[in-house]
C-alpha cells in the first residue's frame, strides 16, 4: 500500500498538473474510506488534509506578497515595500496578476496533495505495521524507530514534570539549562535500562531473527504496487 | 541452580568494593529475598546473575558465578535469556515494542523462534499473568501493575529457570503489589521457577519468601530462613519489631504466627487509643474542586481543608487523581470548578514567588529540582531565592545531615541524603504547607525513620503536611489524618486510625496482628503496655 502511495505522489510531482493532483487525492480518499485502520493512525488522512490546506493558504499568501513579477492580467495591487539594493530580484508587494496567483495556487495544491497522500498511506497502514513488513535486514532501523516513537512522549512528560517541580521550588521562570541536567540523567539511565533489558532478552545474540505474526505479501498488494508504479512511470515519461 | 563462590565485584574508578567475597547457593524452585541498605549492592548482585554485570556495565569480577551450571563469566546475557529472566523496577523503561503481544514476543524474535512456537508461547505467557484481555492494548495506556505483569510475561515467555526482580512493587499501590507477589508465588509453586527478588518494603514480601539473603556493609552477608536472618538484622518489618518489642522469643514472619504468639498480650492489654494532634488554624481550603482533562474527569467535586500542625496522608490507587489534586493545591493547574484558598487567599491571586514560599513541594524524584554543581551552591541558591542570610540553608542542612560535605555533587549523594537536601531546601523557609509526592520509594527503614522525624518536627513548627503515598506503614506511623480517593472522588476522610482499620487491604501489619484492638503501630502497642503498668 505504501508503495502505491509513494508512486502516486511521484506521479503528482512529476506531472505538476492540478487535475492529476486532485484526482490522486480523490483516489486516496476513496481508498482510505474503504480500507481505513482503527487506531491512533487511522485519522491521519483527515489531519494531513487539514495540514495541506494550511500550507496551501500560506503558499498563496506568500505568493501574493513575495514573488517575481509575471506579466498578465492585473487583478489588484498591493503596496510595494522598497528593499535595499543588495536584495535584487525579490520584491515584496506590487502588482498581483492572475497568472501569478494561479501558479502559486497550483503549486500549493500539489504540495498539499502530496502531504494528503502521505497521510492517506498512514491511515491505511500504520507506520508500525510498515516497520513489521520491512525485510529483516532493515529490522534494526525499525527497532530504533519504534523505540524513538515510544520514548518521545515519555521525554515530553519528563520535561513538564521537572519544569513544574523546579517552578514550585522558587516560583521563577525555569531556564532550559536547569532542566537539562536532571533530564539528561534520567534519559541516560533510561537508555541504560532499555539496553540492559534488550540485551538480557537476547537481542543481538542470534544473527537471524524471526517475526511474530508475519504479514504476508498478498496479491492485492502486488496489484496496487504495480498500478502505482505504472502511473508514476507514465507521468514521468509523458 | 545459582551458585556464587567467593564473588567480589569492583567498579573501576571506585575505591570500595560493591560486593566482597560473597558465597551462597540457591536451589531450584526457591523464592529468595535480597535485602540490605540502599546502596549495599543489591542491584549489582541481581545483575550479576545474568551477567549484565560485568558484561554490560563494566567492572572487575573475581570469583565464580554459575547459573544452571553455566558460568556467567564466559557467556553474554543474551545467551542466558532462556535461563534467566530479569524484571526491573520501572517496567516502562524496559519496553521495546508498543503493544502487549509484541513486547512479549520481542525476546523470541531476537532468538529466531518459529512464528508458530511464538504464538503458542505468547498465549501461555498471557494466561500465566492474566493479561489475555489486554493483548492488543498499547502498553503506555496500562496501569502500573499491568505493566509490571507485561514485564514478567515477557521474561516468562523465554521459559527461564530463574526470574530476577529488582523492587518490582516499589511503584505500586498495596493491592497491585499483592497481586504481583502472589503471581510470583504461583510461578514458584506451579513451574518451580527460582525467584530472586530485591525489595525495601519487607512487610510486603516477607510472607512469600523461602529464604533471605542479607547483604550488610563491609562485605558481610548471610543467607537463611527469614526467622533466622531477621533475628539479627537491623532492617526489619513492623511484624518483627513488634515481636522484639513484646519480647516474644519465637519470631513469626506472617500475621497468623505472630497473632497466635500474641494471643494473651492482645487480650490482656488495656484499651489505648493514640492521641490525635490538635489541628491548628486552617491553612488550605478546597471547596468543591473539580477538574477535567478534555472529556476525562480527574477530580470530581472534592472539598477538604488542611490545618497547621496536622500531617495528612493522601492515599488511593495509581491514577485515582492524587497527582491532579496536588497540582491543584500547588496552583500548577487551575481547576475547572471550585476554589483553592491558602491562608484565606485564593491561590490564583498569589504571585508565584510568594506561592513557592508558602508551599513547599517535594517531588517524587528529588533529583528533579537539583541541577547545580555542589551541595553548597544549591544551598546558596536557596538563600538567594528566599531572601535568607547567606549560609542559612547550609547550616540548616548540616543540622539535619551532619555528615554531608558541602563540596559533594548532589548527584553523588545517596537516595536518602538527596531527599534530605531537598527537604532542607524546602523546609528552611518554614512553608505553611509541605507537599510530598511518594517520598519513600527506594528508601530503607532507617532513611524512612529519619524522614518521619523531620516531618514531625516540621509539623510541630506549625506546617501543614500532605503526603501522597502508597506506603501504608509510613501512613500508620506518621499521619494524623488520612484522605482516601478513588476515581477522582473522596471516599474516606478521617483519623488515620479509623480510615486504615476500615479497609483490610490498607491495614498495616501490626493492626492485622492486633485486630480487633485499635492499634496501628508498634509504638501504639507499647503505649498500651505502659498504660497497663
Amino acid at each position: 500500500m505504501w508503495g502505491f502511495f509513494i508512486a502516486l505522489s511521484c506521479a503528482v510531482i512529476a506531472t505538476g498538473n492540478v487535475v492529476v493532483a486532485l484526482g490522486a487525492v480523490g483516489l486516496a480518499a476513496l481508498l482510505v474510506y474503504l480500507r481505513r485502520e482503527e487506531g491512533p493512525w487511522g485519522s491521519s488522512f483527515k489531519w494531513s488534509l487539514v495540514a495541506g490546506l494550511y500550507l496551501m493558504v500560506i503558499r498563496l499568501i506568500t505568493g501574493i506578497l513575495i514573488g517575481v513579477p509575471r506579466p498578465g492580467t492585473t487583478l489588484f495591487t498591493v503596496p510595494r515595500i522598497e528593499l535595499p539594493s543588495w536584495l535584487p530580484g525579490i520584491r515584496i508587494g506590487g502588482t498581483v496578476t492572475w497568472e501569478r496567483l494561479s501558479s502559486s495556487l497550483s503549486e500549493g495544491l500539489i504540495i498539499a496533495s502530496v502531504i494528503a497522500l502521505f497521510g492517506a498511506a498512514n491511515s491505511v497502514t500504520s507506520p508500525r505495521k510498515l516497520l513489521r513488513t520491512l525485510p529483516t535486514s532493515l529490522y534494526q532501523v525499525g527497532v530504533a524507530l519504534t523505540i524513538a516513537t515510544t520514548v518521545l512522549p515519555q521525554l515530553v512528560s519528563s520535561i513538564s514534570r521537572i519544569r513544574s517541580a523546579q517552578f514550585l521550588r522558587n516560583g521563577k521562570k525555569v531556564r532550559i539549562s536547569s532542566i537539562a541536567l536532571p533530564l539528561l540523567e534520567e534519559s541516560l539511565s533510561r537508555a541504560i535500562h532499555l539496553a540492559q533489558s534488550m540485551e538480557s532478552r537476547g537481542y543481538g545474540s542470534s544473527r537471524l531473527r524471526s517475526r511474530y505474526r508475519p504479514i504476508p505479501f498478498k496479491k492485492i498488494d502486488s496489484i496496487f504496487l504495480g498500478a502505482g508504479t505504472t502511473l508514476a512511470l507514465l507521468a514521468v515519461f509523458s | 541452580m545459582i551458585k556464587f563462590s567467593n564473588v567480589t565485584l569492583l567498579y573501576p574508578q571506585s575505591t570500595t568494593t560493591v560486593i566482597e567475597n560473597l558465597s551462597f547457593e540457591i536451589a531450584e524452585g526457591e523464592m529468595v529475598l535480597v535485602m540490605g541498605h540502599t546502596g549495599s549492592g543489591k542491584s549489582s548482585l541481581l545483575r550479576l546473575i545474568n551477567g549484565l554485570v560485568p558484561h554490560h556495565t563494566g567492572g572487575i569480577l573475581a570469583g565464580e558465578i554459575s547459573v544452571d551450571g553455566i558460568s556467567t563469566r564466559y557467556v553474554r546475557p543474551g545467551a542466558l535469556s532462556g535461563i534467566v529472566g530479569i524484571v526491573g523496577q520501572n517496567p516502562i523503561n524496559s519496553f521495546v515494542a508498543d503493544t502487549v503481544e509484541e513486547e512479549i514476543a520481542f525476546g523470541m524474535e531476537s532468538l529466531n523462534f518459529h512464528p508458530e512456537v511464538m504464538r503458542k508461547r505468547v498465549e501461555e505467557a498471557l494466561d500465566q499473568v492474566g493479561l489475555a484481555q489486554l493483548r492488543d492494548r498499547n502498553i503506555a495506556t496500562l496501569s502500573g501493575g499491568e505493566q509490571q505483569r507485561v514485564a514478567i510475561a515477557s521474561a516468562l515467555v523465554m521459559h527461564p529457570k530463574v526470574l530476577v526482580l529488582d523492587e518490582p512493587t516499589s511503584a505500586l499501590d498495596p493491592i497491585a503489589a499483592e497481586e504481583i507477589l502472589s503471581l510470583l508465588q504461583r510461578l514458584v509453586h506451579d513451574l518451580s521457577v527460582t525467584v530472586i527478588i530485591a525489595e525495601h518494603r519487607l512487610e510486603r514480601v516477607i510472607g512469600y519468601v523461602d529464604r533471605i539473603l542479607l547483604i550488610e556493609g563491609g562485605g558481610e552477608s548471610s543467607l537463611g530462613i527469614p526467622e533466622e536472618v531477621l533475628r539479627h538484622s537491623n532492617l526489619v518489618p513492623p511484624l518483627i519489631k513488634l515481636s522484639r518489642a513484646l519480647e516474644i522469643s519465637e519470631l513469626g514472619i506472617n500475621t497468623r504466627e505472630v497473632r497466635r504468639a500474641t494471643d494473651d498480650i492482645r487480650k490482656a492489654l488495656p484499651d489505648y487509643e493514640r492521641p490525635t494532634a490538635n489541628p491548628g488554624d486552617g491553612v488550605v481550603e478546597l471547596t468543591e474542586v473539580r477538574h477535567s482533562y478534555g472529556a476525562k474527569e480527574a477530580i470530581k467535586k472534592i472539598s477538604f481543608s488542611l490545618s497547621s500542625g496536622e500531617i495528612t496522608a493522601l492515599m488511593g490507587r495509581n491514577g485515582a487523581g492524587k497527582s491532579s489534586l496536588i497540582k491543584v493545591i500547588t496552583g500548577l493547574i487551575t481547576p475547572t470548578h471550585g476554589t483553592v484558598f491558602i491562608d484565606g487567599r485564593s491561590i490564583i491571586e498569589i504571585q508565584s514567588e510568594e506561592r513557592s514560599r508558602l508551599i513547599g513541594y517535594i517531588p517524587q524524584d528529588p533529583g528533579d529540582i537539583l541541577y547545580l554543581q555542589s551541595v553548597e551552591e544549591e544551598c546558596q541558591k536557596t538563600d538567594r531565592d528566599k531572601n535568607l542570610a547567606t549560609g542559612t540553608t547550609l547550616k540548616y542542612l548540616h543540622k539535619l545531615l551532619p555528615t554531608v560535605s558541602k563540596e559533594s555533587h548532589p548527584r553523588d549523594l545517596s537516595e536518602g541524603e538527596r531527599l534530605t537536601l531537598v527537604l532542607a531546601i524546602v523546609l528552611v523557609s518554614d512553608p505553611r504547607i509541605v507537599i510530598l509526592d511518594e517520598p519513600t520509594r527506594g528508601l530503607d527503614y532507617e532513611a524512612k525513620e529519619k524522614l518521619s522525624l523531620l516531618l514531625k518536627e516540621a509539623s510541630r513548627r506549625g506546617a501543614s503536611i500532605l503526603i501522597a503515598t502508597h506506603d501504608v506503614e509510613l501512613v500508620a506511623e506518621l499521619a494524623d489524618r488520612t484522605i482516601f480517593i478513588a476515581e477522582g472522588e473522596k471516599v474516606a476522610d478521617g483519623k488515620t486510625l479509623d480510615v486504615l482499620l476500615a479497609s483490610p487491604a490498607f491495614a498495616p501489619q501490626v493492626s492485622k496482628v492486633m485486630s480487633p484492638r485499635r492499634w496501628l503501630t508498634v509504638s501504639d502497642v507499647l503505649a498500651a503496655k505502659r498504660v497497663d503498668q
Side-chain angles (χ1 to χ4, degrees):
Chain A
M1 264 322 206
W2 267 75
F4 174 68
F5 280 109
I6 290 169
L8 210 57
S9 0
C10 287
V12 170
I13 297 168
T15 52
N17 191 324
V18 184
V19 184
V20 174
L22 283 177
V25 174
L27 184 62
L30 184 72
L31 281 172
V32 170
Y33 178 73
L34 291 175
R35 301 271 308 254
R36 196 165 77 93
E37 268 190 3
E38 292 302 313
W41 292 99
S43 55
S44 60
F45 179 59
K46 198 173 78 192
W47 291 113
S48 67
L49 273 183
V50 174
L53 218 61
Y54 265 112
L55 275 176
M56 213 165 87
V57 171
I58 291 168
R59 178 72 186 85
L60 197 63
I61 292 168
T62 50
I64 289 171
L65 291 180
I66 312 166
V68 197
R70 270 197 195 188
T73 337
T74 307
L75 287 178
F76 54 89
T77 315
V78 184
R80 191 173 158 183
I81 300 160
E82 289 301 328
L83 287 173
S85 55
W86 44 268
L87 270 176
I90 298 172
R91 37 167 244 174
I92 295 177
T95 325
V96 177
T97 58
W98 168 242
E99 280 71 21
R100 208 169 112 197
L101 201 63
S102 70
S103 87
S104 38
L105 194 65
S106 65
E107 273 170 33
L109 197 69
I110 286 165
I111 297 172
S113 63
V114 170
I115 289 171
L117 286 175
F118 183 72
N122 273 325
S123 272
V124 177
T125 315
S126 84
R128 293 191 185 282
K129 213 166 169 183
L130 175 73
L131 287 178
R132 277 173 50 197
T133 56
L134 284 179
T136 345
S137 51
L138 285 175
Y139 184 82
Q140 310 228 338
V141 184
V143 170
L145 284 174
T146 319
I147 291 169
T149 49
T150 28
V151 164
L152 216 62
Q154 284 177 24
L155 204 66
V156 171
S157 73
S158 304
I159 291 175
S160 85
R161 194 196 70 233
I162 295 170
R163 233 179 63 148
S164 47
Q166 291 190 0
F167 175 70
L168 289 174
R169 176 176 170 181
N170 57 19
K172 289 178 185 145
K173 230 176 144 249
V174 180
R175 290 205 315 273
I176 298 172
S177 59
S178 56
I179 297 181
L181 188 68
L183 188 68
L184 190 70
E185 194 202 12
E186 190 176 289
S187 316
L188 273 178
S189 80
R190 188 177 284 160
I192 290 169
H193 277 294
L194 184 63
Q196 289 188 344
S197 140
M198 285 169 71
E199 170 134 31
S200 47
R201 283 157 72 189
Y203 181 77
S205 55
S206 157
R207 258 180 350 103
L208 290 173
R209 284 190 66 93
S210 56
R211 191 65 61 63
Y212 178 68
R213 293 203 173 171
I215 302 169
F217 201 79
K218 281 185 290 216
K219 206 170 171 187
I220 187 147
D221 296 321
S222 329
I223 294 174
F224 269 112
L225 201 61
T229 325
T230 323
L231 272 177
L233 287 174
L234 274 177
V236 172
F237 293 112
S238 61
Chain B
M1 181 56 63
I2 301 169
K3 193 174 168 194
F4 275 54
S5 14
N6 307 96
V7 172
T8 299
L9 178 70
L10 180 74
Y11 285 129
Q13 279 128 35
S14 153
T15 46
T16 48
T17 47
V18 187
I19 290 168
E20 211 175 301
N21 205 15
L22 184 67
S23 303
F24 63 84
E25 209 168 321
I26 291 169
E28 192 187 346
E30 251 193 309
M31 188 157 171
V32 176
L33 168 71
V34 179
M35 62 182 242
H37 289 280
T38 8
S40 59
K42 291 193 301 286
S43 299
S44 299
L45 173 76
L46 295 186
R47 281 166 183 73
L48 274 171
I49 296 174
N50 82 334
L52 276 175
V53 178
H55 285 295
H56 200 273
T57 57
I60 304 154
L61 172 71
E64 195 55 46
I65 302 166
S66 84
V67 180
D68 199 25
I70 301 169
S71 162
T72 63
R73 182 185 297 274
Y74 307 108
V75 180
R76 287 199 62 89
L80 279 173
S81 63
I83 298 171
V84 184
I86 195 157
V87 175
Q89 201 179 111
N90 246 343
I92 192 85
N93 288 350
S94 62
F95 289 148
V96 186
D98 57 342
T99 64
V100 174
E101 266 194 321
E102 279 172 45
E103 177 64 33
I104 295 176
F106 175 80
M108 294 186 293
E109 287 185 334
S110 307
L111 293 183
N112 199 20
F113 275 52
H114 192 270
E116 273 169 36
V117 181
M118 281 199 257
R119 284 284 298 125
K120 207 174 114 258
R121 285 217 190 170
V122 166
E123 216 57 37
E124 264 171 35
L126 283 171
D127 286 338
Q128 273 163 354
V129 300
L131 280 177
Q133 286 91 11
L134 303 176
R135 55 169 44 172
D136 291 325
R137 282 271 293 279
N138 188 325
I139 296 180
T141 63
L142 300 179
S143 75
E146 286 162 350
Q147 286 180 352
Q148 196 60 270
R149 278 192 276 164
V150 174
I152 293 175
S154 32
L156 276 182
V157 83
M158 307 299 289
H159 290 186
K161 295 184 173 161
V162 180
L163 200 57
V164 176
L165 302 104
D166 191 0
E167 296 195 36
T169 71
S170 67
L172 304 180
D173 58 72
I175 299 161
E178 191 84 29
E179 281 167 10
I180 293 293
L181 288 164
S182 35
L183 166 69
L184 291 175
Q185 200 185 29
R186 212 179 61 228
L187 294 174
V188 172
H189 284 216
D190 292 357
L191 309 173
S192 257
V193 180
T194 311
V195 173
I196 317 287
I197 182 171
E199 185 64 68
H200 277 303
R201 293 185 193 166
L202 302 180
E203 64 271 11
R204 283 185 173 177
V205 289
I206 206 79
Y208 294 96
V209 297
D210 301 314
R211 285 205 291 172
I212 296 180
L213 176 64
L214 173 69
I215 304 179
E216 285 157 297
E220 296 277 307
S221 67
S222 48
L223 176 70
I225 54 168
E227 287 89 340
E228 233 167 71
V229 173
L230 291 175
R231 196 183 292 275
H232 311 291
S233 162
N234 55 354
L235 292 174
V236 288
L239 213 55
I240 307 292
K241 247 189 225 160
L242 181 70
S243 313
R244 279 186 192 170
L246 297 176
E247 286 155 8
I248 301 167
S249 53
E250 201 130 315
L251 279 188
I253 52 149
N254 59 40
T255 330
R256 197 179 45 187
E257 283 169 22
V258 183
R259 206 175 150 76
R260 220 174 281 149
T262 56
D263 218 15
D264 307 333
I265 303 172
R266 194 169 58 242
K267 286 186 179 124
L269 285 181
D271 274 340
Y272 165 82
E273 199 151 305
R274 60 158 76 180
T276 40
N278 291 331
D281 42 336
V283 176
V284 179
E285 179 83 47
L286 269 77
T287 326
E288 302 203 345
V289 168
R290 274 188 235 181
H291 190 76
S292 33
Y293 302 101
K296 192 178 165 277
E297 251 194 324
I299 305 174
K300 296 170 189 159
K301 210 175 178 182
I302 289 185
S303 311
F304 60 79
S305 64
L306 304 174
S307 313
S308 72
E310 188 184 39
I311 303 180
T312 311
L314 183 63
M315 298 192 82
R317 275 182 165 249
N318 291 332
K322 293 196 299 278
S323 334
S324 302
L325 206 55
I326 288 179
K327 282 186 183 153
V328 165
I329 300 174
T330 51
L332 277 179
I333 52 176
T334 313
T336 27
H337 290 281
T339 52
V340 180
F341 280 83
I342 295 212
D343 274 342
R345 287 191 296 162
S346 170
I347 183 124
I348 16 182
E349 285 160 18
I350 305 175
Q351 287 295 312
S352 63
E353 281 183 39
E354 195 191 344
R355 209 191 289 160
S356 76
R357 270 193 298 274
L358 287 174
I359 307 169
Y361 172 67
I362 290 152
Q364 195 176 83
D365 181 358
D368 280 0
I369 65 168
L370 304 172
Y371 50 88
L372 295 172
Q373 298 305 313
S374 73
V375 170
E376 192 177 19
E377 279 180 50
E378 290 285 354
C379 291
Q380 281 167 352
K381 182 178 163 49
T382 313
D383 293 339
R384 280 196 306 276
D385 284 343
K386 299 190 169 166
N387 299 325
L388 301 165
T390 319
T392 321
T393 315
L394 192 64
K395 220 194 285 166
Y396 185 64
L397 174 69
H398 273 140
K399 217 170 74 191
L400 308 181
L401 199 71
T403 50
V404 74
S405 142
K406 62 181 182 186
E407 280 91 30
S408 50
H409 196 284
R411 310 261 140 203
D412 292 337
L413 300 178
S414 79
E415 211 118 348
E417 287 171 333
R418 221 189 289 185
L419 178 63
T420 317
L421 171 60
V422 170
L423 276 167
I425 287 172
V426 167
L427 293 178
V428 68
S429 60
D430 276 321
R432 296 286 287 143
I433 172 161
V434 181
I435 299 173
L436 296 100
D437 192 356
E438 202 65 54
T440 58
R441 229 179 126 170
L443 293 189
D444 55 32
Y445 286 110
E446 273 173 28
K448 240 154 85 170
E449 214 152 286
K450 205 156 176 193
L451 172 76
S452 296
L453 284 176
L454 264 172
L455 292 178
K456 274 182 186 156
E457 166 65 25
S459 102
R460 258 198 299 280
R461 287 209 309 257
S464 170
I465 293 174
L466 182 71
I467 313 170
T469 185
H470 291 316
D471 193 333
V472 180
E473 301 295 340
L474 178 84
V475 174
E477 197 70 51
L478 194 58
D480 303 306
R481 175 179 162 198
T482 299
I483 295 172
F484 200 93
I485 57 173
E487 302 273 308
E489 279 172 304
K490 189 171 84 175
V491 283
D493 179 2
K495 278 194 293 181
T496 298
L497 190 64
D498 297 327
V499 175
L500 288 192
L501 288 180
S503 138
F506 284 84
Q509 275 195 318
V510 172
S511 81
K512 282 181 190 158
V513 171
M514 286 300 169
S515 129
R517 306 306 294 265
R518 294 165 59 77
W519 300 318
L520 293 178
T521 59
V522 178
S523 44
D524 284 353
V525 180
L526 287 184
K529 218 174 154 195
R530 245 174 279 129
V531 172
D532 192 29
Q533 280 155 6

